[in-house]
């Protein structure tokens, strides 16, 4: 069964947790996150997945939730952070937030970006120094609309807006890694992106990921650790070409 990211925020809240592994064997962290996925189902998570960076050193956990009030999101976030405490020896949590999906397209007519284990997804993130994210959101949407139909090999894409900070993102699902590379190498950043973004003070980052897990797969029952300590958010260095 495929996981999906909807093209609007009517029925689903989206969370993204970004980790930088501190262990040599990253599969150990991935296995722990698979177990974490099972635990989140008892909290109302209707779907989840794990992305592993192909060239970088990042792991992203995606969770989809039925719509919640703001205060409920704060309680949920605190609970998730305490559940993740047992992984603090394996990774540093460098970012986490709720996102709103506000636009998207697919080439098969579906109303969501669908993907399964083994698929390729790419993400680009635009962070603004301005507190007003609306203009950047419109620019991100215009950029998406101008590019998506020309992206040979991309099956779907969705625009996301962060709820807690001035940041937007686009997630694309690809038929293959080769087609993703071909698009990136053929794209002219100065002609395709800068006209939409040059008037803003922005930081633009990107990365390509393997989908290493979706929540429809079976995982052995996992008990929530009794120790509730929030993962430390340590300072990190901004690297061009990385989502952080």
């Amino acid at each position: 069964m495929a996981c999906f990211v909807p093209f609007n925020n009517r029925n689903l809240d989206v969370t993204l947790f970004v980790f930088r592994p501190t262990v040599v064997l990253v599969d150990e962290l991935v296995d722990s996150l698979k177990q974490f996925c099972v635990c989140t189902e008892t909290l109302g998570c209707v779907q989840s997945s794990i992305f592993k960076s192909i060239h970088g050193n990042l792991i992203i956990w995606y969770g989809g939730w039925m719509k919640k009030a703001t205060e409920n999101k704060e309680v949920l976030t605190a609970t998730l952070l305490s559940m993740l405490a047992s992984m603090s020896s394996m990774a540093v949590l460098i970012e986490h937030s709720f996102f709103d999906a506000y636009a998207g397209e697919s080439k098969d007519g579906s109303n969501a970006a669908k993907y399964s284990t083994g698929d390729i997804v790419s993400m680009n993130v635009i962070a603004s120094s301005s507190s007003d994210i609306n203009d950047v959101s419109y620019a991100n949407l215009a950029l998406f609309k101008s590019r998506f139909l020309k992206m040979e090999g991309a099956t779907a894409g969705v625009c996301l807006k962060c709820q807690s900070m001035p940041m937007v993102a686009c997630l694309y699902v690809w038929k293959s890694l080769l087609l993703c590379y071909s698009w990136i190498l053929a794209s002219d950043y100065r002609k395709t992106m800068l006209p939409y973004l040059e008037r803003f003070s922005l930081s633009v980052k990107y990365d390509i990921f393997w989908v290493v897990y979706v929540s429809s797969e079976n995982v052995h029952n996992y008990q929530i650790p009794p120790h509730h300590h929030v993962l430390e958010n340590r300072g990190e260095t901004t690297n061009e070409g990385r989502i952080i």
Side-chain angles (χ1 to χ4, degrees):
M1 182 182 297
C3 197
F4 67 91
V5 184
F7 293 160
N8 60 63
N9 68 338
R10 293 189 193 120
N11 299 316
L12 205 68
D13 280 323
V14 170
T15 50
L16 294 175
F17 281 60
V18 184
F19 301 87
R20 180 179 293 124
T22 57
V23 291
V24 176
L25 300 176
V26 178
D27 288 347
E28 182 182 356
L29 171 62
V30 172
D31 287 341
S32 294
L33 285 173
K34 289 179 183 179
Q35 297 170 338
F36 173 70
C37 289
V38 176
C39 294
T40 61
E41 293 177 5
T42 64
L43 300 175
C45 186
V46 297
Q47 61 169 357
S48 56
S49 55
I50 303 169
F51 305 153
K52 181 180 178 182
S53 175
I54 293 177
H55 301 288
N57 187 30
L58 296 177
I59 301 289
I60 294 181
W61 179 80
Y62 160 79
W65 312 79
M66 298 304 292
K67 296 294 291 184
K68 299 178 182 295
T70 300
E71 57 271 19
N72 293 335
K73 291 176 185 176
E74 293 173 354
V75 173
L76 174 61
T77 299
T79 302
L80 293 174
L81 289 172
S82 45
M83 289 168 61
L84 287 166
S86 61
M87 301 179 208
S88 59
S89 62
M90 293 184 284
V92 176
L93 178 63
I94 58 177
E95 190 61 78
H96 64 87
S97 186
F98 278 87
F99 286 78
D100 290 325
Y102 67 97
E105 290 187 40
S106 65
K107 294 180 181 177
D108 64 0
S110 63
N111 59 0
K114 299 178 181 179
Y115 55 87
S116 302
T117 300
D119 283 347
I120 299 295
V121 300
S122 65
M123 291 186 68
N124 60 267
V125 173
I126 303 173
S128 172
S129 59
S130 170
S131 58
D132 183 4
I133 194 60
N134 288 332
D135 287 344
V136 179
S137 298
Y138 294 142
N140 186 52
L141 177 58
L143 184 59
F144 173 81
K145 292 288 189 181
S146 71
R147 288 159 58 95
F148 177 69
L149 292 179
K150 303 174 185 177
M151 297 171 70
E152 182 180 355
T155 60
V158 58
C159 297
L160 302 167
K161 179 166 61 175
C162 184
Q163 294 183 3
S164 59
M165 62 188 72
M167 181 169 63
V168 295
C170 280
L171 181 147
Y172 298 96
V173 183
W174 294 86
K175 291 181 179 179
S176 71
L177 181 59
L178 178 60
L179 290 171
C180 180
Y181 284 151
S182 296
W183 166 257
I184 292 173
L185 293 174
S187 299
D188 188 334
Y189 174 82
R190 294 181 182 276
K191 291 182 179 179
T192 61
M193 294 187 69
L194 286 186
Y196 297 94
L197 303 175
E198 60 186 356
R199 68 184 185 276
F200 302 109
S201 177
L202 301 172
S203 174
V204 181
K205 303 175 180 68
Y206 64 91
D207 208 339
I208 307 171
F209 299 86
W210 290 109
V211 179
V212 295
Y213 176 79
V214 297
S215 56
S216 58
E217 297 177 3
N218 293 322
V219 178
H220 294 298
N221 290 334
Y222 175 69
Q223 298 297 319
I224 299 175
H227 302 294
H228 287 193
H229 300 291
V230 175
L231 268 177
E232 179 182 6
N233 282 301
R234 302 177 189 173
E236 65 274 356
T237 302
T238 300
N239 298 313
E240 290 302 325
R242 291 282 194 84
I243 298 172
I244 65 171

